C-alpha cells in the first residue's frame, strides 16, 4: 500500500503542491488528473523519491520511501520526458536496470520486446517517440516492480499499442499485486483502466474516490417544463452546477444527493426528465468549474 500523507512541496517561493493526502491499495490503479502545472509530476517524483517533500511523508507498506533505497528498488517511475544514455539500445539499458533492480528478468524483457516488435539492438535515439515509450514500458515491466509510477505513459502511442500497454499493465497488476499510479490527460483512457481517481486542483486534492462511487453520485439532468423556469426555481437542489437554459430546455449537473434532486425535480411536474451519467471529462470540468468561456470578443 502507498500512503501519501500531508505532502507539501515548494520551489523557492512557489508552492507546487500543498497538504496532499490519499492512499493507493495493492492491486489498484489510481489515476491522477489535473490541469497542466497542477503538480502531478511533482507528486510522482516525490513518491518515487526523486524529490524530497518539505512536509509530510510517503510510505510504502509502512516504510518511508525517501530514506530507504531498498524500497526504491521495488519502484519504477516512467517520466513524461524519457531519458536514455547516449548511444544506448534496449539491451544496454536492460543491463543498466538489471544492475539496480534485483528482480529484473531478461526473459520477460525479450518476450515483451518481441511482443511490441522492437529491435533491442537498435539505438534508442533512432526510435520514434512512441517506440521509445514502448521501450521504457518494456524495461519497467521487466524490472518486476511492486509500484509503477507513470507520467503520460500513453503519449505518442497508436491505438493498438495503447490498448496492448493497458492490458499488459492490468495483467501485471493482477498477477504481481502491484500498485499503479498513472497521470494522464487522456481521461477516457483513465476511466477505462483506473479503479480510483484523484483530482488535483489549487495544489490540493479536490476529489479522490473510486470510479464506481464517482459515477453513482453524479448525474446530468435535462428537463422540459410547460411554463418558464429560471435558476432560482432550483435553489432547493444542493450541489447544482452548470445550469443552462435553451428555450424551455433546462440542463444542469448534480453531485451528491442525486436522489434528493430527483424527488425535487419530479415534484415540479416537468413534461420531460432525462438523466445521463457524467463522463470523467465532464466530472473533471465540473470540479474545475471551467466549462464556460466567453469567446465573443477575442477575434472582434
Amino acid at each position: 500500500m502507498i500512503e501519501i500523507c500531508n505532502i507539501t512541496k515548494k520551489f523557492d517561493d512557489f508552492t507546487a503542491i500543498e497538504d496532499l493526502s490519499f492512499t493507493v491499495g495493492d492491486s489498484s490503479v489510481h489515476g491522477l488528473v489535473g490541469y497542466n502545472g497542477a503538480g502531478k509530476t511533482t507528486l510522482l517524483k516525490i513518491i518515487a523519491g526523486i524529490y524530497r517533500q518539505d512536509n509530510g511523508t510517503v510510505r510504502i507498506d509502512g516504510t518511508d520511501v525517501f530514506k530507504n533505497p531498498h524500497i526504491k528498488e521495488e519502484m519504477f517511475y516512467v517520466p513524461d520526458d524519457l531519458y536514455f544514455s547516449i548511444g544506448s539500445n534496449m539491451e544496454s539499458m536492460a543491463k543498466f536496470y538489471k544492475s539496480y533492480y534485483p528482480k529484473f528478468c531478461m526473459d520477460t524483457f525479450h518476450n515483451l520486446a518481441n511482443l511490441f516488435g522492437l529491435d533491442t539492438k537498435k539505438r534508442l535515439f533512432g526510435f520514434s517517440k512512441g517506440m521509445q515509450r514502448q521501450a521504457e514500458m518494456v524495461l519497467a515491466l521487466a524490472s518486476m516492480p511492486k509500484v509503477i509510477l507513470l507520467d503520460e505513459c500513453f503519449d505518442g502511442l497508436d491505438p493498438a499499442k495503447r490498448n496492448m500497454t493497458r492490458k499488459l499493465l492490468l495483467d501485471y497488476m493482477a498477477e504481481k499485486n502491484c500498485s499503479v499510479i498513472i497521470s494522464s490527460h487522456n481521461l477516457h483512457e483513465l476511466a477505462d483502466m483506473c479503479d480510483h481517481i484523484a483530482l488535483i486542483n489549487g495544489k490540493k486534492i479536490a476529489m479522490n474516490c473510486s470510479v464506481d462511487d464517482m459515477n453513482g453520485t453524479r448525474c446530468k439532468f435535462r428537463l422540459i417544463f410547460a411554463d418558464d423556469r429560471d435558476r432560482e426555481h432550483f435553489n432547493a437542489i444542493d450541489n447544482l452546477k452548470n445550469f443552462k437554459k435553451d428555450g424551455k430546455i433546462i440542463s444542469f449537473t448534480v453531485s451528491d444527493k442525486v436522489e434528493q434532486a430527483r424527488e425535487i425535480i419530479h415534484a415540479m411536474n416537468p413534461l420531460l426528465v432525462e438523466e445521463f451519467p457524467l463522463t470523467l471529462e465532464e466530472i473533471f470540468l465540473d470540479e474545475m468549474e471551467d466549462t464556460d468561456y466567453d469567446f465573443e470578443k477575442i477575434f472582434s
Side-chain angles (χ1 to χ4, degrees):
M1 173 181 287
I2 307 172
E3 298 172 276
I4 297 138
C5 306
N6 308 114
I7 295 297
T8 295
K9 178 63 180 176
K10 296 181 179 181
F11 297 94
D12 295 325
D13 294 332
F14 173 71
T15 301
I17 51 177
E18 185 175 12
D19 200 29
L20 292 185
S21 297
F22 63 96
T23 61
V24 180
D26 295 335
S27 294
S28 177
V29 182
H30 217 101
L32 199 59
V33 298
Y35 284 148
N36 292 334
K40 302 185 298 297
T41 296
T42 297
L43 179 58
L44 288 176
K45 288 184 176 181
I46 289 171
I47 297 170
I50 298 170
Y51 289 164
R52 186 169 191 169
Q53 65 274 13
D54 296 303
N55 291 299
T57 57
V58 177
R59 294 188 294 266
I60 294 180
D61 295 335
T63 302
D64 186 286
V65 171
F66 193 84
K67 300 177 182 178
N68 195 321
H70 296 297
I71 291 292
K72 295 179 183 179
E73 291 175 355
E74 302 227 327
M75 302 174 63
F76 201 106
Y77 170 55
V78 179
D80 185 17
D81 294 324
L82 299 176
Y83 172 80
F84 299 106
S85 301
I86 295 175
S88 64
N89 56 27
M90 289 182 67
E91 293 285 348
S92 62
M93 291 303 299
K95 292 177 182 177
F96 170 77
Y97 283 124
K98 186 175 174 60
S99 67
Y100 183 80
Y101 291 98
K103 297 179 182 178
F104 192 97
C105 180
M106 291 301 294
D107 287 341
T108 299
F109 165 74
H110 286 113
N111 289 337
L112 288 172
N114 290 334
L115 183 64
F116 279 101
L118 298 173
D119 184 348
T120 61
K121 296 182 180 180
K122 184 177 179 180
R123 291 180 61 181
L124 282 160
F125 285 115
F127 281 15
S128 67
K129 179 180 180 180
M131 292 170 67
Q132 288 185 357
R133 185 74 61 187
Q134 295 166 45
E136 188 70 357
M137 288 302 303
V138 167
L139 293 164
L141 294 174
S143 298
M144 300 295 172
K146 181 176 176 56
V147 173
I148 301 178
L149 307 172
L150 304 171
D151 197 354
E152 298 295 341
C153 69
F154 297 108
D155 189 26
L157 299 184
D158 62 60
K161 293 297 193 298
R162 195 162 58 237
N163 188 51
M164 183 188 300
T165 300
R166 183 179 65 86
K167 289 182 176 179
L168 283 169
L169 280 169
L170 292 175
D171 286 349
Y172 180 84
M173 178 205 70
E175 184 173 333
K176 300 296 183 180
N177 207 29
C178 175
S179 300
V180 179
I181 302 179
I182 174 171
S183 166
S184 177
H185 289 104
N186 190 330
L187 300 182
H188 176 72
E189 201 79 55
L190 291 183
D192 284 347
M193 70 180 299
C194 295
D195 48 74
H196 284 74
I197 297 288
L199 188 152
I200 301 179
N201 187 20
K203 306 171 186 176
K204 298 184 178 182
I205 296 292
M207 180 185 71
N208 181 41
C209 61
S210 73
V211 172
D212 290 341
D213 289 344
M214 184 173 59
N215 291 333
T217 58
R218 296 166 186 268
C219 186
K220 182 176 182 179
F221 289 94
R222 187 164 64 184
L223 315 172
I224 298 177
F225 292 89
D227 54 348
D228 191 45
R229 301 292 177 106
D230 293 312
R231 173 65 179 83
E232 58 265 22
H233 289 94
F234 301 88
N235 287 339
I237 299 177
D238 293 333
N239 300 317
L240 185 151
K241 294 183 179 180
N242 302 317
F243 182 92
K244 295 180 181 179
K245 183 178 177 182
D246 183 6
K248 290 189 176 182
I249 301 175
I250 291 172
S251 64
F252 53 81
T253 62
V254 175
S255 59
D256 298 324
K257 300 183 180 180
V258 173
E259 186 57 39
Q260 180 197 61
R262 289 193 188 102
E263 293 175 1
I264 294 172
I265 289 168
H266 285 289
M268 298 171 72
N269 296 315
L271 298 177
L272 174 71
V273 179
E274 293 181 320
E275 296 184 28
F276 307 92
L278 269 64
T279 65
L280 182 55
E281 183 173 359
E282 288 174 321
I283 292 170
F284 176 84
L285 293 172
D286 197 42
E287 285 293 329
M288 298 299 191
E289 296 184 335
D290 207 6
T291 55
D292 292 317
Y293 298 88
D294 184 5
F295 296 117
E296 287 187 13
K297 297 180 181 180
I298 291 180
F299 302 110
S300 61

